[in-house]
Amino acid sequence: MSGGLRIEERDSHVLAVLDRPEKRNAIDQELVDALHRLCARLEVERRTLVLAGSGGTFAAGADIAQLRERRATDALAGINTRCFQRIRALPMPVIAVLDGYALGGGAELAYAADIRIGTPTLTIGNPETGLGIIAAAGATWRLKEIVGDALASEMLLTGRLLSADEALAAGLVSAVLEPEAALARAVELADRIAALDPAATQATKRSLLAPASAHPEIDLAEQAVLFESPEKLRRMTAFLERRSAKRTQETR
């Protein structure tokens, strides 16, 4: 473990667990540095990342003691913002398992994931204005893309926190499962992703992250590259051969 981040190597993915239970996994500078080191690896190795928290909490926020001491230059440096942008831009998918509190910076880390799975104890949102700051590490632009303008505005302007059922209804999480089942679902998804063409998965993620103005040109450009790939030919040939074999069996 390094900087409050416990990393486990799995066949289909890397599991990274925020592990500062005494601070409810609050995101401090050491944890940010550890996440940057992990990103540097995954930008090269190009593996799916599963994020989770220890002790029944994903992350209860940024470390308030550190935030209190930060000044304008720290805000402009975007300490958490740059880290979460890097996680969002990882080549392969990021899956977050959200157990217990995912508040403030913890919620913004969750918003940076591609897929979010909740547990029944999930409480998620951004109470920053009650502390005299704004949710500046992604919530003001990512949250409305996920749940829409109306709910995002209410959450950010009033500090409203969502329960697990509310997060599911809003599309903020794709499922609500007991903690062990939630992690198992994340692993199942990572396994499913690993069985697909990595190049096609990465191209899909790049297209998903592109602004509306980039479509459809980015989709066509990505598809043009994939249409020339040997892996596309191999997979489609295998598909047609399987279908032909199945039809032959059915006609016997």
Side-chain angles (χ1 to χ4, degrees):
M1 188 173 73
S2 173
L5 190 66
R6 176 162 42 90
I7 297 173
E8 299 180 18
E9 304 293 333
R10 304 288 179 88
D11 289 340
S12 64
H13 63 283
V14 172
L15 172 64
V17 181
L18 310 183
D19 198 7
R20 302 184 69 216
E22 74 286 355
K23 297 288 186 179
R24 295 194 300 178
N25 302 328
I27 299 169
D28 66 352
Q29 184 66 61
E30 275 194 287
L31 186 51
V32 166
D33 292 343
L35 287 168
H36 274 298
R37 288 193 294 271
L38 177 59
C39 285
R41 271 190 52 201
L42 296 180
E43 287 161 356
V44 175
E45 296 177 8
R46 302 195 169 211
R47 301 182 66 197
T48 295
L49 171 63
V50 175
L51 281 171
S54 66
T57 295
F58 180 67
D63 191 301
I64 302 301
Q66 287 191 3
L67 277 182
R68 186 181 62 177
E69 302 307 313
R70 290 178 183 170
R71 295 297 182 262
T73 53
D74 300 304
L76 294 173
I79 295 169
N80 288 357
T81 303
R82 304 305 178 203
C83 178
F84 300 165
Q85 281 183 311
R86 197 171 182 183
I87 290 169
R88 181 66 172 150
L90 284 172
M92 289 292 282
V94 178
I95 305 168
V97 178
L98 308 178
D99 189 20
Y101 289 118
L103 303 178
E108 291 178 299
L109 174 57
Y111 304 155
D114 298 289
I115 300 169
R116 289 166 293 278
I117 302 166
T119 74
T121 61
L122 173 63
T123 300
I124 186 167
N126 295 89
E128 279 91 341
T129 52
L131 295 171
I133 59 174
I134 71 169
T140 57
W141 72 91
R142 286 200 187 100
L143 186 57
K144 63 183 179 180
E145 292 179 353
I146 301 168
V147 303
D149 285 345
L151 182 55
S153 295
E154 182 180 343
M155 290 174 66
L156 294 173
L157 293 173
T158 72
R160 175 183 170 185
L161 306 180
L162 300 187
S163 67
D165 288 343
E166 289 171 326
L168 181 62
L172 187 49
V173 296
S174 60
V176 173
L177 301 165
E178 293 296 332
E180 286 188 10
L183 184 57
R185 174 66 63 84
V187 171
E188 177 189 336
L189 293 175
D191 289 345
R192 189 181 305 176
I193 290 166
L196 306 175
D197 177 21
T201 299
Q202 292 168 45
T204 299
K205 179 165 179 177
R206 286 192 295 269
S207 295
L208 282 168
L209 293 182
S213 60
H215 298 279
E217 284 74 17
I218 186 172
D219 308 86
L220 303 180
E222 295 284 5
Q223 193 76 302
V225 173
L226 293 170
F227 269 19
E228 298 293 332
S229 73
E231 184 64 8
K232 170 250 189 180
L233 180 62
R234 186 192 72 79
R235 285 176 178 263
M236 289 192 176
T237 300
F239 172 84
L240 292 171
E241 289 173 349
R242 287 194 303 270
R243 188 172 68 177
S244 177
K246 183 179 179 181
R247 285 178 176 170
T248 300
Q249 279 187 330
E250 289 172 349
T251 57
R252 284 179 181 173

